[in-house]
Amino acid sequence: MTKVALRGDLLDFIAEPAWGDTGAQEARYRADHWLLIEGGRITGAQPGAQDPGEGWQREDHRGRLILPGFIDTHVHSPQIEVLASYGTELLDWLDTYTFPAERAHADLGVAAAGAERFVRALLAHGTTSAVVFPTVHKSSVDALFTAASARGMRMIAGKVLMDRHAPDGLRDDVDQAERDCIDLIGRWHGQGRNAYAVTVRFAPTSTPAQLAMAGALCKADASLYMQTHVAENRAEVQWVAALFPEARSYLDVYASAGLLHPRSVLAHGIWLDADDRAELRERGAQVAFCPSSNLFLGSGLFDWVAHAQAGAALSVASDVGGGTSLSMLRTLADGYKVQAMAGHRLTAWSALYAATRGAARALHLDTEIGSLEPGRLADVCLWDRAVGEVAERRLAVARDLHEAVFAWMLLGDERNLVASWVAGVEQFRRSAKTETTR
Ligand code: GUN
Ligand code: ZN
């Protein structure tokens, strides 16, 4: 059995930190420790001075941070090609940039190359697990699960459902979509670390009949995930109200179709009301807060505090290509700024918890990922605390742990990433060319 020991400063969470508590004891920081990995699982940790001994492949990274790999709960694999597209809000952005880019993935070669590029990029940004929208094409799902399986990654994805209000080449129909989903579920759901998500793009692009079909799939198998978008943009919310006049709210469209359950991941949720939040809590569904995307597309400011006070589950996500970076550090930095606009202060602990153990918990995967507890699969990332003279100076004058980690979160990005392991196997290592001082 392979035995790997990584030496550095270990940071993870033993439970959810309280809002605003910079001294939260739930943040577990173990300075200069060995993280012990046997057969792909974390088996323990011990002080740096206590050498693991013979039989261990040792890597000494004293002074660097070791965290659980980040979990991006909402990201679109084909959209790395539309990152940073100028000048539009959501609905125009979809028509102008996103739908044309997704249509190209009907081609098997484009889908396979795109999936490989995407998965490599996640790992190069410190993200080891993701909940992903590929495209409407069945082959895009095969390509994504194939690329993730080759690296042993935890991947949650499904064929995008769209049977109206989408251009030619991107529409399915209820019967074909159902057949495709059943086939894909049979081949991928529960295979290795793959799980299938019934993937409703958003209410406007599915007929009520397709929403009902998606709800029936969820009802037939409670282990399936469901992913969609909700209440992201004001024009979108108005459009949904016009399309579904009988629904109490946008969220209610999904609730009525049987799409809200403990494995539902709904991106955005900016324009939800108190009744919606209560509904989310009751159904156990989570919102994926996508701050970079919400800023870039001018969608609005998500109210984390109201959401948390309602007791609803929450994770954080890049939403690339609406979001402008796959880096969860950049995403969390944007999250801090969005909350600051409402006068709320997001601690590094609440932010990093949401991107690791909190996301794992909301996905019911916390016995597998999200922390450095013994027994978890060793999805871990190694980070430089600072890259460049400015960040190094900021770090040097940090007076306490929260200040130092917060500065890392706000100033860091994928350039800080040294290496990523998935189930104990190295899947990314920064090339020596870009090596910087620690
Ligand atoms: N709503 C429907 N589709 C999309 C998408 O691809 N990105 C975002 N941000 N919102 C959506
Ligand atoms: Zn999205």
Side-chain angles (χ1 to χ4, degrees), residues 151-358:
R151 293 157 178 89
M153 280 173 82
R154 162 54 69 178
M155 179 60 64
I156 300 172
K159 184 205 112 62
V160 176
L161 297 167
M162 287 202 274
D163 67 347
R164 65 169 171 175
H165 299 139
D168 291 348
L170 279 184
R171 282 190 314 275
D172 53 15
D173 61 60
V174 179
D175 292 341
Q176 185 61 49
E178 184 176 31
R179 282 195 296 275
D180 287 353
C181 289
I182 289 169
D183 176 53
L184 289 164
I185 291 164
R187 286 190 293 113
W188 293 110
H189 186 55
Q191 294 302 312
R193 298 182 74 189
N194 300 308
Y196 195 83
V198 174
T199 301
V200 174
R201 181 168 212 124
F202 66 158
T205 46
S206 285
T207 57
Q210 187 170 64
L211 295 175
M213 182 276 285
L217 288 174
C218 292
K219 193 165 174 214
D221 183 349
S223 70
L224 292 171
Y225 288 88
M226 194 291 294
Q227 59 177 341
T228 192
H229 299 87
V230 71
E232 173 178 2
N233 165 288
R234 274 184 275 215
E236 171 213 17
V237 173
Q238 280 170 9
W239 191 20
V240 171
L243 289 170
F244 298 90
E246 70 293 350
R248 190 201 69 78
S249 68
Y250 191 157
L251 188 78
D252 186 44
V253 173
Y254 298 139
S256 304
L259 291 164
L260 291 192
H261 53 73
R263 285 183 156 71
S264 302
V265 183
L266 298 108
H268 308 294
I270 296 167
W271 306 103
L272 298 178
D273 64 17
D275 289 348
D276 292 326
R277 293 187 194 105
E279 173 108 46
L280 286 170
R281 188 203 53 236
E282 268 164 43
R283 309 254 184 183
Q286 68 175 291
V287 162
F289 169 38
C290 306
S292 166
S293 170
N294 299 161
L295 292 169
F296 181 70
L297 294 174
S299 301
L301 305 174
F302 173 75
D303 190 339
W304 182 314
V305 172
H307 189 84
Q309 280 174 352
L314 177 116
S315 54
V316 182
S318 70
D319 190 31
V320 158
T324 50
S325 172
L326 285 174
S327 165
M328 290 304 286
L329 291 179
R330 287 190 190 221
T331 303
L332 297 174
D334 282 342
Y336 177 84
K337 295 167 196 169
V338 166
Q339 295 315 308
M341 288 298 293
H344 300 308
R345 303 294 156 191
L346 176 65
T347 65
W349 306 144
S350 289
L352 292 167
Y353 172 80
T356 55
R357 191 172 186 139

Side-chain angles (χ1 to χ4, degrees), residues 3 81 127 199 216 233 261 283 306 308 310 317 331 351 405 415 437:
K3 292 162 110 184
E81 289 167 21
T127 296
T199 301
N233 165 288
H261 53 73
R283 309 254 184 183
T331 303
V405 173
R415 288 167 291 191
T437 52

Side-chain angles (χ1 to χ4, degrees), residues 11-17 19 26-29 65-71 126 304 314-316 327-333 335-336 346-360 370-371 383 401-410:
L11 176 61
D12 71 342
F13 296 88
I14 54 172
E16 182 171 4
W19 182 264
E26 294 83 2
R28 173 168 55 180
Y29 180 70
L65 286 169
I66 297 174
L67 275 86
F70 288 129
I71 303 165
W304 182 314
L314 177 116
S315 54
V316 182
S327 165
M328 290 304 286
L329 291 179
R330 287 190 190 221
T331 303
L332 297 174
Y336 177 84
L346 176 65
T347 65
W349 306 144
S350 289
L352 292 167
Y353 172 80
T356 55
R357 191 172 186 139
S371 73
W383 298 92
L401 179 64
H402 184 268
E403 193 174 324
V405 173
F406 183 76
W408 170 69
M409 185 176 96
L410 269 283

